[in-house]
Amino acid sequence: MRDDRGVRTVPSIIHLDMDAFFAAVEQAAKPSLRGKPVVVGGLGGRGVVSTASYEARRFGVHSAMPMAQARRLCPNAAFLSGRFAAYRQSSDIVMALLRERSPLVEPLSLDEAFVDLEAGPYGPALADAGPQTGAQLVLAVAEDLRADILERTGLTASVGAAGSKLMAKIASEQAKPDGLVLVEIGSERAVLSPMPVRALPGIGPATEQTLRRAGLTTVADLADAGEGELVQLLGRAHGTGIHMMAVGHDERAVVPDRDAKSVSVEDTFEVDLADRDRILHEIDQLTARCVGRLRAAGRSGRTVVLKVRRFDFSTLTRSETLRAPTDDETVIAETARRLALQVDTTGGVRLLGVGVSQLADYTQEDLFAQAAQAAEAQTAQAAGTGAGTEESAEVPAEASAGAAGAGGADAPGTAPGGRAPAEPPSVLRRWLPGQDVHHAEHGPGWVQGSGVGRVTVRFETPYGPPGRVRTFAVDDPDLEPADPLPLRRV
DNA sequence: TCTGGGGTCCTAGGACCC
DNA sequence: TCTGGGGTCCTAGGACCC
């Protein structure tokens, strides 16, 4: 199934993309929302739309739109905050179905993945097939896959099949929603040529503008322009990459199991932060969450990054690279705090973020690395390095970690993700629209809304008809948060 | 009621080293 | 004595993607 230049002769790469994924999961889980506009995203004053159902898109609502604007466009939609545990459940099922077709699955996000069918059970048959029958086989496999996904999750997926990642991705976009498109080997240029430059992944608003100023608006224009001009306009890497894509050349392999290269956590505040101490406190909180995820992944990091978005939306980062990787909350918090002192926060801070990069595989128990770090710190101290002295004081001070950050140093094994554990229940009772709940008498349901001491719950499950609404006091002891139900009975 | 959160990759300048 | 030149690391920012 490769020609003598190593190019595929069968469109055996598929790109799968779930349709309006988050919103579709909500509709599958909540029968009363099926066929209705649903908007998932941040519900606060500064939230944006994460996903809009196709019903909501008809009103002009789309991803990344400010939630306030979405409410104006489509006031009757259901506005829900996300339920990531539920999305992961469905995603896991979908990814498992993909892996039945080939071990070579490259997830791009919860709802998107490439699959190389050549490497799977259909590989031999595809290898024996000519271009025509090969394409037929790929279509059959893809339709079977979509049917399986629908049966097992109740969700629709769109699939593109082609001889390269680029064309498979473009094909799945054309297939949306709930469709399948195959780009025949050899027809790549014809498919690409009339498309606007924005159709190519990697061309966003800025690049589009640059190209437009040079008179380049279609992919055919890019191909005709030639590599030289594109490098001139866009720089070495981007220019050559875009040119390769424009002429339909893409031999990138499907690669599974990419290790994360950074871990970060950020928060936008409802009201800008002005107080120095408050800012430092938030940095401690963010650090605790970041470290929680770092440790959960069994990693440590060497570079600490602080991100600050100011009142005027100007965004800057400050980073510091340590002498050795760490997952020590105190060290990371101290570093982030030190970085915070370098930025002018007068006027207010809209967003803070704490991240770690230059990741290494090592865990808290890696005493050798800790010892090495401490020794190096001492050397630095002896050499009179300012930053070194500060850290060397922290590294061995394991016991101080618990005392350091408020909410920091969560007891291991409490809440996943390192959330603050021990708040009184009355304070934790913040009911979010969309959230799964269970009532002692009425059973499973979800929060439709809350306010003025009351919470409204709709009692329904993915398996039954639309349910009835009831209202309770927010601190009703019979009402509890619940885990998401599977979309299909198990 | 203007603009999330979690990532990836690239560029460019300065430090530092050989 | 007078601008070499390349490689690598660090830092900051920007574009892009989902």
Side-chain angles (χ1 to χ4, degrees), chain A residues 390-423:
Chain A
E390 235 179 296
E391 272 160 47
S392 65
E394 310 292 353
V395 175
E398 193 67 37
S400 74
D410 293 344
T414 52
R419 284 261 169 208
E423 286 187 88

Side-chain angles (χ1 to χ4, degrees), chain A residues 98-113:
Chain A
L98 295 181
R99 291 192 180 94
E100 288 177 9
R101 273 73 180 180
S102 170
L104 223 47
V105 174
E106 179 178 339
L108 301 178
S109 65
L110 283 183
D111 76 320
E112 226 185 289

Side-chain angles (χ1 to χ4, degrees), chain A residues 5 14 51 162 182 196 238-239 294-295 331 376 391 475 483 487:
Chain A
R5 297 191 314 278
I14 64 176
T51 314
L182 181 143
H238 207 196
L294 192 64
R295 289 186 178 172
V331 171
E376 273 199 76
E391 272 160 47
D475 56 357
D483 290 331
L487 294 180

Side-chain angles (χ1 to χ4, degrees), chain A residues 92-101 145 148-149 152:
Chain A
D92 287 347
I93 293 170
V94 170
M95 296 299 167
L97 291 172
L98 295 181
R99 291 192 180 94
E100 288 177 9
R101 273 73 180 180
L145 171 66
D148 261 13
I149 289 173
R152 297 279 301 280

Side-chain angles (χ1 to χ4, degrees), chain A residues 23-298:
Chain A
V25 170
E26 297 303 341
Q27 290 176 318
K30 301 171 166 69
S32 60
L33 298 184
R34 294 176 194 163
K36 287 192 49 185
V38 171
V39 179
V40 179
L43 301 182
R46 290 172 164 180
V48 301
V49 175
S50 182
T51 314
S53 72
Y54 282 90
E55 297 86 347
R57 292 182 196 189
R58 270 179 232 123
F59 291 82
V61 180
H62 58 78
S63 297
M65 170 183 283
M67 195 57 90
Q69 190 182 351
R71 287 187 191 274
R72 264 180 264 124
L73 288 171
C74 192
N76 293 321
F79 293 91
L80 308 174
S81 73
R83 296 180 304 129
F84 283 85
Y87 309 149
R88 178 159 297 284
Q89 269 185 16
S90 289
S91 177
D92 287 347
I93 293 170
V94 170
M95 296 299 167
L97 291 172
L98 295 181
R99 291 192 180 94
E100 288 177 9
R101 273 73 180 180
S102 170
L104 223 47
V105 174
E106 179 178 339
L108 301 178
S109 65
L110 283 183
D111 76 320
E112 226 185 289
F114 287 110
V115 185
D116 187 348
L117 296 177
E118 209 179 66
Y122 304 101
L126 289 171
D128 292 342
Q132 293 298 321
T133 50
Q136 292 304 314
L137 179 52
V138 170
L139 284 173
V141 171
E143 279 301 10
D144 182 59
L145 171 66
R146 293 188 339 107
D148 261 13
I149 289 173
L150 182 60
E151 186 191 325
R152 297 279 301 280
T153 67
L155 304 170
T156 62
S158 296
V159 173
S164 67
K165 283 181 163 184
L166 168 68
M167 295 313 299
K169 173 120 177 131
I170 282 173
S172 74
E173 198 58 41
Q174 293 192 326
K176 281 183 165 304
D178 195 15
L180 169 61
V181 167
L182 181 143
V183 175
E184 303 213 23
I185 303 294
S187 71
E188 291 86 358
R189 291 287 296 265
V191 171
L192 286 170
S193 288
M195 293 188 151
V197 296
R198 274 301 292 273
L200 296 181
I203 299 191
T207 307
E208 179 186 29
Q209 274 302 92
T210 301
L211 295 170
R212 204 180 54 76
R213 279 193 291 269
L216 310 175
T217 59
T218 68
V219 178
D221 293 339
L222 300 181
D224 293 343
E227 191 183 59
E229 185 178 352
L230 293 179
V231 168
Q232 200 83 25
L233 285 166
L234 307 176
R236 182 90 250 160
H238 207 196
T240 54
I242 297 291
H243 184 256
M244 292 280 272
M245 285 197 281
V247 297
H249 275 296
D250 175 24
E251 289 178 18
R252 292 171 300 162
V254 176
V255 295
D257 304 325
R258 283 222 179 92
D259 268 356
K261 299 193 167 170
S262 66
V263 172
S264 67
V265 166
E266 65 187 53
D267 260 347
T268 293
F269 306 102
E270 287 294 319
V271 178
D272 290 352
L273 266 39
D275 181 65
R276 277 318 278 199
D277 290 339
R278 175 76 195 284
I279 288 170
L280 294 176
H281 178 251
E282 293 294 342
I283 286 172
D284 289 343
Q285 306 272 85
L286 290 162
T287 301
R289 284 160 59 193
C290 184
V291 167
R293 292 195 8 225
L294 192 64
R295 289 186 178 172

Side-chain angles (χ1 to χ4, degrees), chain A residues 15 42 121 210 257 260 265-266 316 318 340 381 398 439 448 484:
Chain A
H15 178 259
T210 301
D257 304 325
V265 166
E266 65 187 53
L316 43 82
R318 291 292 177 270
Q381 189 174 23
E398 193 67 37
H439 189 274
Q448 199 161 299

